[in-house]
């Protein structure tokens, strides 16, 4: 089932392939002359492994921005004595003439070239070297493969006057391709004579001529005894075409669908044409007539339909011509036709726009070769996910992920796909999604952000990331996601809503992560970016969420990370702090965030001298009286001063205000706080607070530290009692009680903290044994 497929772990083969491709030098290869990859001489690989290496390589280059393509990758497979290739699928700009040339000695059975626009007529010659073994070939969208460069003058000097021009190769045919059965020439450029090209093929079984305009398809009848699949998507049909198709009596799959937006089609489907197909193509199991206008009524009036259950029996079909089918079709393409909304459709799988099942079938059927249709189908899925509940969530998610990976550079798919992902990953669907699937979503979202500087895609991607637990679920791409967000925030012209979401994400990413993560992000320019945002908001005299989140992010990223604290000071952070206080005297949340950050700076001994100015000390002292945000602002101001006091009277290098006067104000502030205050703060470690206990130089700092511990273990015992015990706080408190210099009230409080922790321990002891 699909659920199992998405949740099962990667196979060992896949994991090994991925590892080898990411570490070619350390595994299969060595570097010759420091530049060319060479296979180790003792390596011999069968086609099962080589095919997977090549196909996965193409996938990685296409979908993983961190993966570096190798100039000489395809040369690793040049010798069939050590490597065998049989079935490979190459796509887009990744493959060039010399890559195919490198593997020309291989006996390829299946070669799919999809949208390989860099291939020229040189590759036609290489194809000839596979002619004796090739069974399946696709040249879909390889729009330059029939062009060669011609230098008209032929001499060196003339090239400057007449640069090389592209000329169409007229003489290539599939002569000698005796085993070729399956051929896709979709989107072949005009001017190539399809009939001449194909004539030498003895027994074609499947042919795709999507997007090619041919007035005469009579030549197709030469394969009437062998052709089982014919695709004529976007070919403008005529009565002559229909008569030829009706003669291809072995057909099991017929696709005459079209993109009804792409151009004006004269041909309209009629009841008679469908009847003709049903009567003559007796083996038909799959038919696609998506995008067609029905000229006359093919539908059975509803009064003739029996009330009750829907049925796929042809005899009960709401589409009259299909009542003649011997058995239901396996697939019927009705996307963007009126027929898909009927009650009885005699097919097991229908693509259409009526309901979720039809829409998912459409995305599945059209993703690879028809992005223009796929983006409209994904748009319908977006509406379903937004307005009603998706019943096939995993399938929907996987199809959207596949479409986004497959069409990384298609703006329409990136916009509709990223919007659909937002709704498909939100909280109501959360339980149904595996870690693996959610990681795939994150990967395609980051790909979208990387490829598109376009506002809608960026906003959709940022919003989708908000559906994940941050930082936990993004940790496996930590560096990349931070770089992308900082890149968005550093753009000169900014969309206000994206800026707000990106700052929120940045803040969440540096909250509750290890210090090495914080240091790495600091080195990426995180501190500088946040200060720039604050500067801009100050200039506009705006204190909005971006301003508050930016200060909050700085508070988080400086937590126990001295390098980032130093960066904050070096980039004039204190100047911005004072300007914000002055500009926004009433903004309590802002004051709390700013002082939380300064508390982190004050914990770093080497940086404290920079805080020792009359101006800063006066500001901190005045904030002791602040009632902003409960006790938070006053508490943080007192914390900053407690660390400064801890350096002793000789470090007090200013005349005003006096040290004793500030100490007095600190005592008054602490005594005014309610010990049961619920807190807007989250300590991962008590180390900076515990540092202030074993000292006699500043009793007020000792008291602040003890008050902080008492408040936290009283209000949040489950969280903070174990932390205090684990970090060795109890012996420090006991020692402090014995100190002569400690104030009596501090000792009283310390005893209460110890008592709280021992009660907590007793209550939580395991007595079940």
């Amino acid at each position: 089932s699909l659920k199992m497929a998405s949740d099962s772990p990667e196979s060992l083969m896949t994991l090994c392939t991925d590892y080898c491709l990411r570490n070619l030098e350390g595994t299969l290869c060595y570097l010759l002359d420091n530049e060319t990859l060479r296979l180790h001489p003792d390596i011999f690989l069968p086609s099962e492994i080589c095919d997977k290496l090549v196909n996965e390589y193409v996938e990685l280059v296409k979908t993983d921005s961190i993966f570096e393509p190798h100039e000489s990758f395809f040369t690793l497979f040049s010798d069939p004595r050590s490597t065998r290739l049989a079935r490979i699928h190459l796509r887009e700009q990744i493959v060039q003439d010399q890559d195919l040339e490198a593997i020309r000695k291989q006996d390829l059975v299946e070669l799919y070239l999809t949208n390989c626009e860099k291939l020229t007529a040189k590759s036609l010659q290489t194809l000839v070297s596979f002619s004796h073994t090739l069974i399946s070939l696709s040249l879909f969208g390889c729009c330059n493969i029939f062009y060669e460069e011609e230098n008209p003058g032929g001499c060196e000097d003339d090239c400057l006057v007449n640069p090389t021009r592209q000329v169409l190769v007229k003489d290539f045919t599939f002569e000698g391709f005796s085993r070729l059965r399956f051929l896709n020439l979709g989107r072949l450029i005009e001017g190539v004579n399809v009939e001449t090209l194909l004539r030498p093929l003895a027994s074609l079984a499947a042919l795709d001529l999507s997007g090619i305009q041919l007035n005469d398809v009579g030549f197709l009848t030469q394969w009437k005894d062998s052709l089982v699949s014919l695709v004529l998507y976007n070919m403008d049909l005529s009565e002559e075409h229909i008569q030829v198709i009706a003669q291809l009596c072995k057909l099991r799959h017929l696709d005459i669908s079209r993109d009804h937006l792409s151009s004006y089609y004269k041909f309209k489907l009629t009841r008679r044409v469908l009847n003709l197909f049903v009567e003559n193509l007796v083996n038909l199991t799959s038919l696609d007539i998506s995008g067609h206008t029905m000229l006359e009524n093919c539908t059975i009036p509803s009064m003739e339909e029996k009330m009750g259950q829907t049925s796929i029996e042809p005899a009960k079909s709401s589409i009259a011509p299909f009542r003649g089918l011997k058995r239901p079709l396996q697939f019927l393409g009705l996307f963007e036709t009126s027929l898909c909304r009927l009650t009885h459709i005699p097919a097991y799988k229908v693509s259409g726009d009526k309901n979720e099942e039809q829409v998912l079938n459409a995305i599945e059927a059209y993703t690879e070769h028809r992005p223009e249709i796929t983006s409209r189908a994904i748009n319908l899925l977006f509406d379903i996910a937004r307005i009603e509940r998706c019943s096939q969530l995993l399938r929907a998610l996987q199809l959207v992920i596949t479409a986004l990976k497959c069409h990384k550079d298609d703006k329409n798919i990136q916009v509709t796909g990223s919007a659909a992902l937002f709704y498909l990953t939100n909280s109501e669907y959360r339980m149904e999604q595996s870690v693996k699937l959610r990681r795939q979503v994150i990967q395609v979202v980051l790909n979208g952000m990387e490829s598109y500087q376009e506002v809608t895609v960026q906003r959709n991607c940022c919003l989708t990331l908000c559906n994940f637990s941050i930082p936990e679920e993004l940790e496996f791409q930590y560096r990349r996601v931070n770089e992308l967000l900082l890149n968005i925030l550093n753009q000169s012209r900014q969309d206000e809503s994206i800026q707000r979401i990106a700052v929120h994400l940045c803040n969440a990413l540096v909250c509750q992560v290890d210090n090495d993560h914080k240091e790495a992000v600091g080195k990426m320019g995180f501190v500088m970016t946040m200060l720039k945002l604050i500067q801009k908001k100050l200039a506009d005299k705006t204190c909005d969420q971006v301003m508050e989140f930016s200060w909050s992010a700085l508070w988080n990223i400086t937590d126990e990370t001295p390098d980032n604290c130093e960066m904050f000071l070096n980039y004039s952070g204190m100047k911005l702090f004072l300007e914000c206080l002055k500009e926004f005297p009433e903004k309590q949340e802002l004051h709390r965030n700013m002082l939380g950050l300064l508390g982190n700076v004050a914990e770093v001994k080497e940086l404290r001298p920079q805080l020792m100015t009359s101006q800063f000390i006066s500001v901190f002292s005045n904030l002791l009286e602040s009632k902003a945000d409960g006790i938070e602002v006053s508490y943080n101001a007192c914390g900053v001063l407690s660390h400064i006091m801890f350096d002793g009277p000789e470090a007090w290098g200013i005349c005003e205000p006096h040290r004793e006067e500030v100490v007095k104000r600190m005592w008054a502030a602490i005594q005014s706080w309610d010990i049961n205050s619920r807190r807007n703060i989250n300590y991962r470690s008590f180390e900076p607070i515990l540092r202030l206990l074993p000292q006699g130089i500043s009793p007020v700092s000792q008291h602040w530290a003890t008050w902080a511990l008492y408040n936290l273990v009283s209000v949040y015992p489950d969280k903070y009692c174990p932390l205090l015990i684990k970090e060795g706080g109890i012996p420090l408190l006991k020692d402090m009680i014995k100190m002569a210099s400690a104030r009596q009230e501090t000792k009283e409080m310390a005893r209460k903290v110890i008592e709280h922790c021992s009660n907590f321990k007793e209550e939580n002891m395991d007595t079940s044994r």
Side-chain angles (χ1 to χ4, degrees):
S1 81
L2 230 149
K3 184 167 173 60
M4 294 316 293
S6 78
D7 288 353
S8 56
E10 297 291 4
S11 68
L12 189 55
M13 173 78 156
T14 303
L15 293 170
C16 292
T17 307
D18 188 70
Y19 182 80
C20 288
L21 288 170
R22 291 178 190 278
N23 304 278
L24 279 170
E25 263 181 82
T27 53
L28 306 172
C29 305
Y30 64 95
L31 263 191
L32 184 69
D33 310 330
N34 272 343
E35 53 178 355
T36 314
L37 277 175
R38 281 275 190 272
L39 213 57
H40 283 298
D42 55 350
I43 283 179
F44 300 92
L45 299 172
S47 60
E48 291 81 358
I49 290 177
C50 293
D51 290 350
K52 196 152 174 66
L53 282 167
V54 170
N55 294 334
E56 284 299 312
Y57 170 81
V58 171
E59 189 65 15
L60 276 176
V61 174
K62 201 170 166 333
T63 59
D64 189 336
S65 60
I66 302 157
F67 184 77
E68 286 292 323
H70 294 275
E71 273 284 288
S72 50
F73 177 76
F74 286 89
T75 60
L76 300 177
F77 304 91
S78 57
D79 187 352
R81 287 170 304 185
S82 55
T83 53
R84 289 283 167 87
L85 286 174
R87 296 178 166 80
I88 58 173
H89 193 164
L90 310 177
R91 19 174 86 249
E92 296 170 30
Q93 273 56 32
I94 298 160
V95 60
Q96 306 190 26
D97 290 329
Q98 63 266 29
D99 298 325
L100 270 192
E101 174 72 15
I103 58 169
R104 72 184 183 284
K105 291 182 183 163
Q106 295 284 356
D107 291 338
L108 291 184
V109 175
E110 204 173 274
L111 174 61
Y112 292 123
L113 301 169
T114 307
N115 295 324
C116 299
E117 295 178 3
K118 286 195 174 172
L119 297 183
T120 70
K122 286 186 186 135
S123 288
L124 286 180
Q125 296 318 309
T126 310
L127 285 183
V128 176
S129 55
F130 307 129
S131 61
H132 58 293
T133 53
L134 216 50
I135 292 174
S136 291
L137 174 66
S138 169
L139 300 178
F140 182 88
C142 299
C143 52
N144 295 310
I145 201 163
F146 280 88
Y147 279 111
E148 62 185 349
E149 288 185 352
E150 183 194 64
N151 180 359
C155 76
E156 296 299 313
D157 301 332
D158 202 30
C159 298
L160 302 172
V161 189
N162 291 316
T164 53
R165 60 195 175 114
Q166 304 291 319
V167 289
L168 201 57
V169 172
K170 291 280 183 21
D171 54 357
F172 177 83
T173 73
F174 285 111
E175 189 67 58
F177 285 73
S178 56
R179 305 182 64 185
L180 198 61
R181 297 284 176 278
F182 303 91
L183 180 61
N184 185 340
L185 294 176
R187 306 225 329 259
L188 188 71
I189 42 105
E190 274 182 48
V192 178
N193 187 324
V194 178
E195 184 177 348
T196 316
L197 187 66
L198 300 181
R199 192 178 294 123
L201 297 174
S203 45
L204 265 185
L207 180 62
D208 187 326
L209 299 174
S210 293
I212 301 172
Q213 298 310 328
L214 295 176
N215 294 329
D216 180 9
V217 290
F219 65 91
L220 294 177
T221 55
Q222 74 187 71
W223 299 294
K224 67 177 189 297
D225 296 327
S226 63
L227 205 61
V228 292
S229 170
L230 178 65
V231 178
L232 304 177
Y233 169 70
N234 267 356
M235 187 182 286
D236 198 6
L237 305 172
S238 66
E239 185 55 38
E240 287 75 27
H241 289 79
I242 299 302
Q243 292 307 325
V244 171
I245 292 168
Q247 293 174 57
L248 305 174
C249 54
K250 292 282 198 299
L251 277 185
R252 292 205 291 271
H253 171 61
L254 172 64
D255 182 344
I256 54 167
S257 63
R258 64 192 194 191
D259 173 5
H260 75 100
L261 296 183
S262 68
S263 61
Y264 172 71
Y265 291 100
K266 295 181 284 296
F267 182 77
K268 306 277 190 289
L269 259 189
T270 63
R271 190 169 179 155
R272 184 186 58 77
V273 170
L274 291 183
N275 275 327
L276 195 65
F277 289 164
V278 171
E279 282 161 29
N280 290 282
L281 309 178
V282 291
N283 300 312
L284 211 57
T285 60
S286 165
L287 173 67
D288 202 330
I289 53 172
S290 296
H292 273 282
T293 315
M294 310 306 292
L295 188 62
E296 56 197 48
N297 202 351
C298 290
T299 60
I300 306 282
S302 56
M303 42 252 201
E304 283 184 39
E305 289 193 352
K306 305 271 190 307
M307 290 301 288
Q309 281 312 98
T310 56
S311 158
I312 53 169
E313 287 173 44
K316 295 180 180 170
S317 169
S318 308
I319 305 165
F322 292 152
R323 290 195 162 183
L325 288 167
K326 307 276 182 296
R327 57 198 169 280
L329 293 168
Q330 293 297 321
F331 176 85
L332 179 56
L334 300 175
F335 189 69
E336 295 182 320
T337 68
S338 53
L339 301 180
C340 70
R341 296 187 188 85
L342 297 171
T343 321
H344 299 280
I345 300 174
Y348 294 109
K349 212 170 195 178
V350 177
S351 75
D353 39 47
K354 173 184 162 190
N355 54 32
E356 182 184 348
E357 172 67 22
Q358 287 188 1
V359 168
L360 293 178
N361 290 340
I363 299 172
E364 189 168 45
Y366 308 129
T367 286
E368 182 160 26
H369 292 128
R370 302 178 192 174
E372 62 284 359
I373 305 283
T374 308
S375 69
R376 302 206 290 274
I378 292 175
N379 209 21
L380 292 166
L381 175 66
F382 161 74
D383 281 335
I384 293 167
R386 186 170 57 98
I387 297 159
E388 48 194 279
R389 195 181 158 80
C390 260
S391 55
Q392 300 182 51
L393 173 75
L394 293 176
R395 185 177 172 215
L397 254 181
Q398 281 172 316
L399 288 171
V400 174
I401 289 169
T402 303
L404 285 166
K405 273 184 171 176
C406 192
H407 301 287
K408 203 169 152 201
D409 304 319
D410 185 301
K411 184 182 163 186
N412 289 336
I413 284 193
Q414 291 299 321
V415 169
T416 55
S418 56
L421 280 185
F422 170 68
Y423 285 101
L424 291 169
T425 52
N426 70 18
S427 50
E428 67 168 308
Y429 297 125
R430 182 69 178 275
M431 294 310 293
E432 299 170 49
Q433 294 163 16
S434 66
V435 171
K436 181 175 154 189
L437 194 60
R438 286 177 75 81
R439 283 190 166 193
Q440 285 181 330
V441 173
I442 290 165
Q443 294 275 28
V444 292
V445 164
L446 299 182
N447 286 345
M449 287 168 75
E450 240 151 19
S451 308
Y452 273 90
Q453 301 309 313
E454 203 274 338
V455 171
T456 321
V457 176
Q458 298 264 344
R459 186 187 297 114
N460 291 349
C461 290
C462 285
L463 281 169
T464 302
L465 290 178
C466 294
N467 286 337
F468 291 81
S469 303
I470 304 170
E472 300 81 21
E473 287 193 283
L474 297 183
E475 200 135 10
F476 80 108
Q477 291 279 298
Y478 195 76
R479 189 179 179 86
R480 187 176 171 210
V481 73
N482 273 295
E483 277 174 351
L484 283 167
L485 290 168
L486 292 179
N487 188 29
I488 287 174
L489 291 171
N490 283 322
Q491 286 162 12
S492 48
R493 292 185 58 223
Q494 273 179 354
D495 176 271
E496 192 67 34
S497 62
I498 298 183
Q499 193 184 55
R500 192 171 60 249
I501 307 160
V503 177
H504 161 72
L505 285 165
C506 278
N507 188 19
L509 277 161
V510 291
C511 187
Q512 304 291 306
V513 290
D514 296 340
N515 292 16
D516 52 350
H517 273 339
K518 291 182 185 178
E519 277 175 26
V521 176
K523 288 192 179 81
M524 283 180 210
F526 189 101
V527 177
M528 177 73 125
T529 302
M530 293 303 146
L531 289 169
K532 271 194 204 149
L533 288 174
I534 291 165
Q535 184 113 45
K536 266 190 206 157
K537 293 291 171 189
L538 247 175
D540 298 341
K541 298 191 174 348
T542 320
C543 182
D544 56 5
Q545 280 184 312
V546 172
M547 173 73 106
E548 284 177 10
F549 284 155
S550 299
W551 279 108
S552 177
L554 287 171
W555 180 5
N556 280 320
I557 203 172
T558 52
D559 176 37
E560 292 187 45
T561 314
D563 287 5
N564 292 340
C565 293
E566 188 173 5
M567 252 185 255
F568 170 79
L569 293 178
N570 291 348
Y571 297 140
S572 318
M574 291 304 289
K575 180 170 169 283
L576 284 179
F577 160 67
L578 293 173
E579 286 173 4
C580 285
L581 263 185
K582 191 172 161 206
E583 185 63 52
F584 309 112
E586 303 306 315
K587 294 286 184 181
Q588 305 196 357
E589 187 98 340
L590 183 70
H591 294 188
R592 184 195 84 206
N593 293 347
M594 294 195 301
L595 278 155
L597 153 68
L598 292 181
N600 292 338
V601 177
E603 286 169 10
V604 184
K605 187 174 175 50
E606 300 72 37
L607 301 179
R608 285 201 282 271
Q610 296 191 49
L611 303 179
M612 182 46 74
T613 70
S614 292
Q615 187 183 26
F616 293 153
I617 299 296
S618 300
V619 167
F620 300 143
S621 305
N622 292 336
L623 287 168
L624 287 168
E625 271 100 66
S626 165
K627 292 286 173 278
D629 204 14
I631 65 163
E632 296 303 328
V633 172
S634 175
Y635 170 88
N636 280 324
C638 198
V640 172
L641 290 166
S642 294
H643 288 289
I644 291 171
M645 293 293 171
F646 177 60
D647 291 335
E650 65 279 5
W652 198 266
I654 53 173
C655 306
E656 283 292 319
H658 290 300
R659 187 169 185 270
E660 288 66 39
E661 183 195 322
V662 176
V663 168
K664 216 156 76 192
R665 290 178 78 174
M666 287 166 72
W667 279 108
I670 300 170
Q671 273 148 355
S672 74
W673 302 335
D674 174 5
I675 197 65
N676 296 312
S677 300
R678 299 196 68 75
R679 304 303 306 284
N680 255 328
I681 201 158
N682 186 8
Y683 283 101
R684 287 188 311 139
S685 161
F686 281 148
E687 197 279 322
I689 293 178
L690 296 176
R691 218 183 288 164
L692 301 175
L693 294 178
Q695 48 97 11
I697 205 154
S698 172
V700 73
S701 305
Q702 211 174 32
H703 192 68
W704 175 83
T706 312
W707 190 96
L709 295 174
Y710 183 34
N711 163 256
L712 293 166
V713 298
S714 313
V715 182
Y716 308 102
D718 294 356
K719 180 170 182 182
Y720 290 119
C721 287
L723 185 64
L724 184 60
I725 294 163
K726 183 177 132 223
E727 295 196 335
I730 306 298
L732 284 173
L733 287 163
K734 285 180 174 167
D735 289 349
M736 188 259 282
I737 292 170
K738 294 175 196 155
M739 286 173 69
S741 60
R743 288 270 285 262
Q744 205 49 45
E745 56 209 280
T746 311
K747 295 180 182 186
E748 282 303 310
M749 209 172 257
R751 285 192 191 94
K752 287 180 186 164
V753 176
I754 295 167
E755 195 182 321
H756 252 293
C757 288
S758 59
N759 289 346
F760 175 82
K761 251 175 120 172
E762 278 166 30
E763 278 169 31
N764 288 277
M765 277 185 73
D766 187 0
T767 53
S768 57
R769 274 178 293 185

